[in-house]
Amino acid sequence: MMHLAETLNFSGRKVVAAWASVPFPALHGYSLPDTLCAYQQGVPWNLLSSCREQKVSCCFAQSVVLRGICKERKPPASPLHACESTEQVLQHYLHTVFPGAFSTSHVLEQPCNTLPPYPQFFSPLLTSQGFLRDKPPSYSSAAVESIPVLAALQSSPVLHTLLYSLYKDLQRLNTRRWASFFSAGVEEADFQEALQELRTLSQCYETGFEADESEDEADSD
């Protein structure tokens, strides 16, 4: 994980954000291009890291893994459908949604098994293979045995808000009231230096949008 994060970061960045879709929202009988074509304005996965999601979707670099989805052969209805493999479909989608970003993608045919003792907290809309139905079944459906899953790590501007908020919280800390805070041998100067490094790190994820947002936060303070 550490080496993957290092691969995705450059220009002073060190942190990545985690995203996932469990299960991946694929309709039963639909191909991967069919599913992704419905998400041209937003991605079909959610932020797991404790960051506030942006109004603008972008990233600097990312690594995406999708498993449990195969590309079905259908007449080309879009550029995504014209791709020859599932890997090309996902890569084309990432380049379309995140233009200019460095993106790597991997596709595994084997889905994630959800047999006992995996908890059965799934919606009745899911088939036993984890694909979405158009409507709930009229009968008691079988347990979900496997699900398609997508996971992603991103070097993304969403991390600016997280890191800058952490910097602001620590900046407000009155270290004179916490004498035990430095009992482990940390000096006040070292603490202040680490604080400035955290601020510098947050600025590495800053774009024009985040800069405006930071100014708004500073005004509200």
Side-chain angles (χ1 to χ4, degrees), residues 212-221:
D212 294 340
E213 192 175 66
S214 296
E215 290 176 1
D216 293 340
E217 291 176 354
D219 292 340
S220 64
D221 293 342

Side-chain angles (χ1 to χ4, degrees), residues 85-100:
S85 66
T86 310
E87 290 83 355
Q88 290 181 4
V89 171
L90 183 56
Q91 193 68 25
H92 187 284
Y93 175 77
L94 294 175
H95 285 312
T96 301
V97 178
F98 302 99

Side-chain angles (χ1 to χ4, degrees), residues 14-213:
K14 300 179 180 179
V15 185
V16 291
W19 304 70
S21 181
V22 183
F24 182 74
L27 283 168
H28 177 65
Y30 281 56
S31 67
L32 180 60
D34 294 333
T35 302
L36 293 179
C37 281
Y39 291 93
Q40 296 294 324
Q41 302 301 320
V43 293
W45 55 84
N46 297 313
L47 183 63
L48 300 183
S49 300
S50 56
C51 312
R52 185 173 63 191
E53 291 199 48
Q54 295 174 258
K55 300 175 184 177
V56 179
S57 177
C58 65
C59 73
F60 306 114
Q62 62 185 335
S63 176
V64 180
V65 177
L66 173 65
R67 58 183 301 176
I69 299 287
C70 297
K71 182 179 184 298
E72 298 179 10
R73 291 292 179 182
K74 291 185 178 181
S78 71
L80 286 176
H81 289 83
C83 296
E84 295 182 357
S85 66
T86 310
E87 290 83 355
Q88 290 181 4
V89 171
L90 183 56
Q91 193 68 25
H92 187 284
Y93 175 77
L94 294 175
H95 285 312
T96 301
V97 178
F98 302 99
F102 169 73
S103 299
T104 65
S105 59
H106 304 277
V107 176
L108 306 174
E109 292 186 6
Q110 185 67 28
C112 288
N113 293 324
T114 55
L115 296 172
Y118 199 96
Q120 289 293 315
F121 47 63
F122 300 107
S123 165
L125 285 174
L126 289 186
T127 68
S128 59
Q129 285 75 43
F131 294 99
L132 290 169
R133 294 184 173 96
D134 292 327
K135 58 183 179 179
S138 57
Y139 54 87
S140 178
S141 57
V144 178
E145 299 178 355
S146 64
I147 54 174
V149 172
L150 183 143
L153 290 178
Q154 282 188 349
S155 175
S156 168
V158 298
L159 290 161
H160 166 73
T161 303
L162 173 66
L163 296 171
Y164 187 76
S165 297
L166 179 58
Y167 160 75
K168 295 290 288 184
D169 290 342
L170 292 173
Q171 189 184 42
R172 297 188 186 102
L173 182 66
N174 185 356
T175 55
R176 295 179 180 178
R177 299 179 56 187
W178 301 86
S180 60
F181 189 76
F182 298 99
S183 61
V186 179
E187 300 292 338
E188 174 69 24
D190 295 334
F191 175 76
Q192 293 299 327
E193 181 180 355
L195 194 60
Q196 292 306 313
E197 289 178 353
L198 180 60
R199 181 180 184 181
T200 301
L201 180 60
S202 74
Q203 292 172 340
C204 292
Y205 293 89
E206 198 171 42
T207 64
F209 176 76
E210 285 74 31
D212 294 340
E213 192 175 66

